[in-house]
Amino acid sequence: MDNLPISPFIASLPKVELHIHIEGTLQPSLRWKLAQRNSVPLKFKDQFYNTYEELLNSYNVTYNHRPELGGRKDVPTFLEAYFAGCEVLLQEQDFYDLAMDYLKRCKEMNVRYVEPFFDIQAHTRRGVAAEHVLNGYLRAQRDGAEQHGVRSNWIFCFLRDEPVEDGEAAYQTALPWAARSGGHGLFHAVGLASNAYERPPILFKAAFERAKAHGLHITTHCDFGQKDTHEHIRQAIFEVGIERIDHGLDVLDRDELIQGLNARGVGLTLCPHAYHRRTATEVLFPKLRQLLDRGVKFCINSDDPVYMHDVWIDGNQEKAYHYGGLSKAEMLQLARNSVDMCWADEHVKSEIYAELDAIRTD
Ligand code: HPA
Ligand code: ZN
């Protein structure tokens, strides 16, 4: 169910990635290196990883349960594993190395443009200076474009399970790095990350409005199968006026949600493998065609590849192609959707459209 071999068609497709958490790309080899460099013990709770093999083995767990929805309580959740990985990130150089590793990998996968999610709260609450995070990513944004030809505009996320005021304060700290007059140009949008359980988007309505007033775009996670998932999507569309939804696959259950999305031109950034971890193939993949049939705009992305069996954007596209039974022309349409849905400058978009126009699907 995990990694399919990547077909030449998918491998060569020019790609735009709109749903990836930068810390979810921290590979074990870099995590090991940073732990040595910063003298940070590698561990999860009281379990220490003393050798590289032990660290690698720790990734064999499938973090696919939700304790709050009746799932297991005795093994780490996906988010616990993700935040444990963050512990080795301390200095500006660490954030730079993380982002550059990812942007290099983007080049290898033919990702031309990416809008990575980041937050500062996961780091500042550990005592890391916000500038280390922001300047590390800013340098990587510039060097990734220069050295690897991969352009990026980043998305600042509020940690939705932390108090709203803390998120607002983090946003104020990060604002000088925003893409606005006089800003450094790192991020051009804001979103919501971390655990959505009983943390609906409406809680952040004022925070989203402030970001919009600053000229930034807004998006929110509405994860598949979450508690209150339809209500979260409804709020996002009709009350917050969100521009994109991250996941949002549950719209298929409610006509009014589909109509709301389509009337407002709101697209979904889907991550098929993230759902495949806990959903049967025959239940999940027909939904892609249903979305196409209902005229819902969506694109294919990866979420947190390192904590999701090393399935990256190409592996997610391969799953849509293979299990979803989509044709080459339909896969090309999804690639075009990602350009339509992205917030890149027009000249960046035109270059990628031109590349896509040259692809043969016969
Ligand atoms: N979902 C929600 N929040 C997150 C995720 C995710 O997959 N990864 C990092 N923060
Ligand atoms: Zn996500």
Side-chain angles (χ1 to χ4, degrees):
M1 87 93 164
D2 297 337
N3 258 312
L4 294 172
I6 310 295
S7 59
F9 173 72
I10 295 296
S12 63
L13 205 55
K15 299 172 183 66
V16 167
E17 167 72 86
L18 299 183
H19 187 154
I20 188 148
H21 301 263
I22 192 66
E23 296 92 339
T25 72
L26 174 60
Q27 298 185 57
S29 52
L30 181 60
R31 186 173 169 196
W32 179 261
K33 187 172 130 186
L34 296 182
Q36 314 283 313
R37 189 157 94 191
N38 292 330
S39 306
V40 176
L42 283 170
K43 62 174 181 33
F44 181 76
K45 293 192 175 158
D46 50 5
Q47 163 91 46
F48 285 80
Y49 309 128
N50 295 310
T51 64
Y52 188 55
E53 280 62 42
E54 283 175 18
L55 178 67
L56 279 184
N57 283 338
S58 75
Y59 291 82
N60 291 334
V61 180
T62 52
Y63 308 109
N64 56 1
H65 57 290
R66 285 190 169 132
E68 65 274 29
L69 297 184
R72 294 178 63 167
K73 295 196 169 37
D74 57 332
V75 284
T77 63
F78 153 75
L79 281 173
E80 285 172 330
Y82 168 98
F83 288 122
C86 291
E87 286 170 15
V88 299
L89 298 163
L90 296 180
Q91 305 299 328
E92 179 187 320
Q93 188 66 33
D94 306 337
F95 293 95
Y96 175 83
D97 289 348
L98 166 66
M100 284 301 279
D101 239 28
Y102 171 59
L103 294 170
K104 179 165 176 282
R105 185 160 190 144
C106 280
K107 182 182 183 189
E108 291 159 8
M109 296 185 295
N110 285 312
V111 175
R112 303 288 190 255
Y113 171 78
V114 52
E115 297 184 356
F117 293 119
F118 74 101
D119 69 87
I120 61 171
Q121 289 167 275
H123 309 297
T124 53
R125 71 186 179 188
R126 297 183 292 113
V128 174
E131 304 80 62
H132 289 179
V133 187
L134 293 155
N135 285 333
Y137 294 155
L138 183 66
R139 235 174 358 111
Q141 180 188 43
R142 185 194 61 210
D143 291 354
E146 273 177 17
Q147 294 173 26
H148 303 307
V150 180
R151 286 173 282 206
S152 59
N153 284 310
W154 295 53
I155 303 177
F156 170 96
C157 285
F158 300 103
L159 291 194
R160 68 199 292 169
D161 49 357
E162 294 279 359
V164 175
E165 313 82 76
D166 292 5
E168 297 254 27
Y171 174 77
Q172 284 303 328
T173 302
L175 196 53
W177 280 262
R180 59 198 288 257
S181 167
H184 298 308
L186 174 66
F187 64 98
H188 65 172
V190 302
L192 287 191
S194 206
N195 195 345
Y197 185 73
E198 298 192 341
R199 300 296 288 166
I202 197 76
L203 295 173
F204 289 83
K205 185 174 162 67
F208 280 124
E209 277 168 1
R210 196 155 306 127
K212 273 178 89 166
H214 289 141
L216 305 180
H217 295 284
I218 59 173
T219 183
T220 185
H221 276 63
C222 294
D223 202 357
F224 179 50
Q226 269 293 333
K227 177 170 179 280
D228 306 324
T229 185
H230 304 108
E231 173 58 14
H232 285 205
I233 296 172
R234 190 196 65 73
Q235 291 178 4
I237 302 172
F238 298 104
E239 296 194 38
V240 178
I242 215 78
E243 294 171 76
R244 288 198 311 236
I245 293 181
D246 304 302
H247 305 306
L249 191 50
D250 294 305
V251 290
L252 277 169
D253 304 333
R254 301 274 196 279
D255 285 348
E256 65 275 18
L257 297 180
I258 292 191
Q259 282 156 14
L261 280 185
N262 290 353
R264 290 168 169 74
V266 175
L268 309 179
T269 64
L270 298 184
C271 308
H273 177 66
Y275 327 133
H276 203 195
R277 294 177 304 152
R278 40 181 163 232
T279 315
T281 305
E282 63 278 13
V283 174
L284 175 61
F285 285 92
K287 292 181 186 293
L288 299 183
R289 180 156 308 286
Q290 289 162 22
L291 289 173
L292 287 174
D293 291 346
R294 306 289 305 269
V296 176
K297 181 161 276 190
F298 68 96
C299 60
I300 303 291
N301 308 272
S302 59
D303 218 1
D304 296 277
V306 166
Y307 299 98
M308 295 179 178
H309 315 103
D310 227 24
V311 181
W312 297 71
I313 187 172
D314 50 0
N316 274 278
Q317 290 181 333
E318 193 67 45
K319 285 196 165 194
Y321 186 41
H322 178 82
Y323 294 120
L326 304 189
S327 66
K328 285 184 178 169
E330 286 167 328
M331 292 307 299
L332 191 57
Q333 183 56 52
L334 296 187
R336 282 207 182 88
N337 288 355
S338 64
V339 188
D340 298 345
M341 288 167 61
C342 84
W343 297 314
D345 291 342
E346 282 310 316
H347 75 275
V348 173
K349 288 187 168 213
S350 319
E351 279 177 33
I352 307 172
Y353 282 131
E355 275 198 82
L356 292 172
D357 287 345
I359 291 182
R360 296 180 53 136
T361 54
D362 50 7

